[in-house]
Amino acid sequence: MSKKILIVGKNLASTRDFAEAFSLSDCSVAVADDSSKNIPASSSINVVLWTKGSSVSARSLIIQTETTIGSVDDYILFFDSHLYASEYSSFSADNCQKSCDEMIAAFQYFAIEAINRMEKRNVPARLVFVLKTHPSMKDFIQMPSVKNMVSIPANPFVAAGEAAFANFAENIAAMESEKENVSVLLVTGDSQNETMQNNSSLASWLSDYINALDNQKNKTKGKNSVSWVKAGAKMPGSFPFFR
């Protein structure tokens, strides 16, 4: 049966290949975007408008997605610190509000609405938090070697957003760990991670990983439920989770 995937966090322009890789795996895919101008010519990806930082828009996004592709099986929340580092290079009051809406409030409002919908449907579904980390200004001082790997550090807004996303994801995983129909998967990797470097490769691996989790008899609980899986890790089963 074709899975229904909703991807939020990155507009279509920066996540098209990630979304297309899922569609090639026989998934029905929707991408949240804040502009209708980015609607692709291909019909393999559905674009749903989303005003980041709005709880009403987050709820509307999920309803519109269900109307378009059906009830969602996997909600993918993608935080790309590498991308944000270039988009939020200016340390200004304007960027302060915008970054809080896009990098913190948007994900939190969406997760609330997604969990509410999953609980209301009362059928198994999953939240997938994907975190692509990026060195911060502090890292440039403490670990000068990272300057040879990246040219632009994450400024304080992006560093704060990354930390908020990671902490929020871990605690959502803990909160939902005992619920039967709500699963949470945490995936991370930096820009040097081979799988994370390529959106298509990441989507292909993630699709296989999710399918492997679905084939397990028991839901992951306890400490493993709040552990991050490295992008490209071996499939679950006889292999342990690791940070």
Side-chain angles (χ1 to χ4, degrees):
M1 182 176 66
S2 174
K3 299 199 74 173
K4 311 297 192 299
I5 308 289
L6 173 56
I7 303 168
V8 304
K10 302 210 298 182
N11 286 344
L12 184 64
S14 57
T15 196
R16 184 189 297 268
D17 46 354
F18 182 73
E20 287 179 342
F22 273 104
S23 68
L24 291 175
S25 299
D26 195 32
C27 295
S28 297
V29 183
V31 175
D33 200 309
D34 59 12
S35 174
S36 60
K37 296 179 181 179
N38 295 326
I39 295 178
S42 171
S43 60
S44 62
I45 304 172
N46 300 276
V47 177
V48 184
L49 291 179
W50 178 34
T51 302
K52 299 174 182 177
S54 165
S55 60
V56 173
S57 182
R59 188 178 308 120
S60 175
L61 167 61
I62 293 172
I63 294 172
Q64 290 181 59
T65 299
E66 291 186 349
T67 301
T68 304
I69 66 174
S71 297
V72 177
D73 300 298
D74 296 288
Y75 302 83
I76 300 177
L77 295 79
F78 200 147
F79 190 103
D80 189 340
S81 296
H82 179 75
L83 178 65
Y84 288 138
S86 60
E87 291 183 348
Y88 288 94
S89 58
S90 173
F91 188 68
S92 65
D94 288 342
N95 268 348
C96 180
Q97 181 62 59
K98 184 180 178 183
S99 65
C100 287
D101 286 342
E102 182 169 352
M103 291 188 283
I104 299 177
F107 290 108
Q108 295 185 3
Y109 281 136
F110 178 80
I112 291 169
E113 297 302 331
I115 291 172
N116 287 343
R117 187 58 182 158
M118 293 158 76
E119 293 177 343
K120 184 176 180 179
R121 285 177 56 210
N122 201 32
V123 295
R126 177 179 289 107
L127 281 174
V128 182
F129 291 89
V130 178
L131 173 58
K132 185 175 183 179
T133 62
H134 188 80
S136 66
M137 291 179 167
K138 182 193 74 171
D139 296 326
F140 266 44
I141 292 176
Q142 293 184 332
M143 298 178 291
S145 61
V146 301
K147 295 180 181 179
N148 298 323
M149 296 183 288
V150 296
S151 57
I152 302 174
N155 74 10
F157 295 142
V158 179
E162 180 182 305
F165 182 85
N167 204 299
F168 182 72
E170 291 167 355
N171 283 279
I172 288 292
M175 184 176 72
E176 303 298 319
S177 63
E178 299 300 323
K179 296 180 182 178
E180 292 300 323
N181 289 322
V182 180
S183 297
V184 179
L185 172 62
L186 311 178
V187 176
T188 191
D190 57 26
S191 55
Q192 305 306 306
N193 178 290
E194 186 175 348
T195 301
M196 191 67 82
Q197 285 178 345
N198 183 282
N199 279 340
S200 296
S201 298
L202 175 61
S204 178
W205 168 82
L206 183 55
S207 178
D208 290 341
Y209 201 95
I210 289 172
N211 288 335
L213 287 175
D214 288 341
N215 291 329
Q216 287 186 320
K217 293 182 179 180
N218 299 316
K219 178 181 176 180
T220 302
K221 297 183 179 181
K223 291 189 295 183
N224 285 341
S225 67
V226 296
S227 295
W228 291 88
V229 178
K230 294 291 186 182
K234 295 183 183 297
M235 295 298 109
S238 59
F239 304 100
F241 289 79
F242 60 93
R243 295 182 80 93

